Amino acid sequence: MCPRFADSAAPSRPLFVVDEEALETWRSGRTEAEMAWLDATGFAAGLGEFQLLPGPDGTVAGAVAGHGTAAARARGRFHLAAVAGRLPEGAWHLDTALTGADLEAEALGLLLSGYRFDRYRAQSAAPRASFKAPAGVDPALLEAMAAGEVLTRDLINTPASDMGPEALEEAVAALAAAHGATLEAIRGEALLARNFPMIHAVGRAAAQLPRLLDLHWGTAGPRLTLVGKGVCFDTGGLNVKPGSSMGLMKKDMGGAATVLGLASTIMTLGLPLRLRVLIPAVENSIAGNAMRPQDILTARNGLTVEINNTDAEGRLVLADALAYAAEEETDALISMATLTGAARVAVGPDIAPFYTGDETVAGALAQAGGLWADPVWRMPFHAPYEAMIEPGIADLDNAPKGGFAGSITAALFLRRFVGETRYTHFDIYGWQPSDAPARPKGGVGQGARAILGALPGILPGGRAEGPGL
């Protein structure tokens, strides 16, 4: 699926968007027959209310969607996507007073409203309504955002039987080929020869070889490096997860899926930057050669790590990848990972917490997240907790005991591998637990639109040449 707006020249019907305060003004412009119909159906423009409007010949002439009040809208996002599926097939256009970020967010939601993961269904979904790009938005930007999000969702939703390290590499290779990027894959024993010992240790017990995928794109402009956790399935290793916790572990490569969706958007838009994407792709499996609790591993940068829980493997593979990323000059290094349950306890499934020591980056992300309906929240690199990740027998502990501040200590662990590089870390969930407008239950991207919108503040030079940035 590649979300697209309808042809601007195609005949279309109006979808009127009316909030409660403007209802009477809007009604005054309707025909007597339409007002009688609205009275008979009790339409009051409450958020989520919807009515088709009949034409004089008995056909559907248009539709109206209630947009409620500002207070009601603040309790959700992509509200028009909730009514998109109720419209008859064909092209539609918005008739609305919305402008700016509100209009862009609703238009993006309409593009995403048609998303369905139907790879394993015998029949595809029925045709749905399509929408023209509203005046005042950048269609190319929104379509690129939506396409990146669809890639992220498809990768997460695909089960590990079809999305192991090999298939993830194939997906990255296809993305690279589509945009003229280069890709290097370091696999199996070559990881040891090239000094990626922790990626190898985590993935060596799986049937498919562990690997590090390294994509480069662009030849000029500031440098942006993205690192995504690509644990294609996580059994927990020898500290095996209970079944209730293992059920969603196909999504443990959600960080990789999200940075790939963001990379797709950046490359599609042709933004003037040099992009690098690093993905350690592994399965955390159980076999005779699996890493053990109390093992001590030596990371790429020479730090030793005591393994106190084999289920805290994501930070291990990220550590080698981050150390490698920091060896090359970059203007911004951003990691994304489905890393800790503690982050979900702290902010729930809908918000992507991030860590940075840079006030400019933090402000840019917070502003862009609000503009692009991509909620993010800054968490602290709290230095006094550093002692919690120092076990004594080794430099670092991969799973501090006590249960406190799990997301913060994981972020502090990762920061040990980036040196002086300007670094930001996202601890995302990557999953929509129940159906919501433009977000059906299943895999979902988090933080990518916030990063995209924040690039002028993150990268040097106040770059503003990119569409919508």
Side-chain angles (χ1 to χ4, degrees), residues 1 21 34 72 87 99 190 226 284 342 361 385 437 465:
M1 171 194 172
E21 293 84 356
E34 287 175 333
L87 291 169
T99 59
L226 305 175
N284 188 22
V361 171
Y385 290 167
E465 296 91 341

Side-chain angles (χ1 to χ4, degrees), residues 10-18 26 30 34 50-55 60-65 83 87-88 90-96 130-132:
S12 61
R13 289 171 284 189
L15 173 61
F16 298 98
V17 183
V18 183
W26 176 77
R30 311 271 47 89
E34 287 175 333
F50 171 81
Q51 284 297 334
L52 295 174
L53 297 175
V60 174
V64 57
V83 306
L87 291 169
W92 293 77
H93 64 269
L94 293 184
D95 188 313
T96 176
S130 59
F131 300 89
K132 293 182 178 180

Side-chain angles (χ1 to χ4, degrees), residues 361-446:
V361 171
L365 286 170
Q367 181 180 34
L371 289 174
W372 285 110
D374 191 11
V376 299
W377 192 261
R378 188 183 185 183
M379 298 277 278
F381 277 130
H382 190 54
Y385 290 167
E386 291 278 5
M388 296 170 64
I389 60 174
E390 297 169 345
I393 191 173
D395 295 319
L396 294 170
D397 183 343
N398 83 316
K401 305 223 174 8
F404 290 126
S407 181
I408 297 174
T409 54
L412 290 171
F413 181 100
L414 295 178
R415 192 172 66 167
R416 295 288 188 98
F417 297 87
V418 300
E420 299 302 314
T421 304
R422 195 170 179 228
Y423 176 55
T424 303
H425 165 61
F426 278 80
D427 190 345
I428 66 173
Y429 189 45
W431 191 261
Q432 179 66 30
S434 58
D435 287 339
R439 291 164 293 148
K441 181 179 179 179
V444 70
Q446 293 181 294

Side-chain angles (χ1 to χ4, degrees), residues 296-299 301-306 393-397:
I296 294 180
L297 305 179
T298 301
N301 67 349
L303 291 176
T304 56
V305 180
E306 183 178 6
I393 191 173
D395 295 319
L396 294 170
D397 183 343

Side-chain angles (χ1 to χ4, degrees), residues 77 115 149-158 229 248-259 336-341 343-344 347-353 374-375 426-434 439-448:
R77 47 187 161 138
Y115 177 79
E149 174 67 15
V150 166
L151 174 62
T152 294
R153 293 181 185 185
D154 282 350
L155 291 172
I156 296 174
N157 284 328
T158 303
K229 174 186 170 185
L248 280 181
M249 283 301 99
K250 72 174 184 178
K251 79 171 185 67
D252 213 22
M253 41 66 73
T258 302
V259 301
M336 306 192 84
T338 53
L339 203 60
T340 71
R344 309 290 73 74
V347 299
D350 205 35
I351 300 171
D374 191 11
F426 278 80
D427 190 345
I428 66 173
Y429 189 45
W431 191 261
Q432 179 66 30
S434 58
R439 291 164 293 148
K441 181 179 179 179
V444 70
Q446 293 181 294

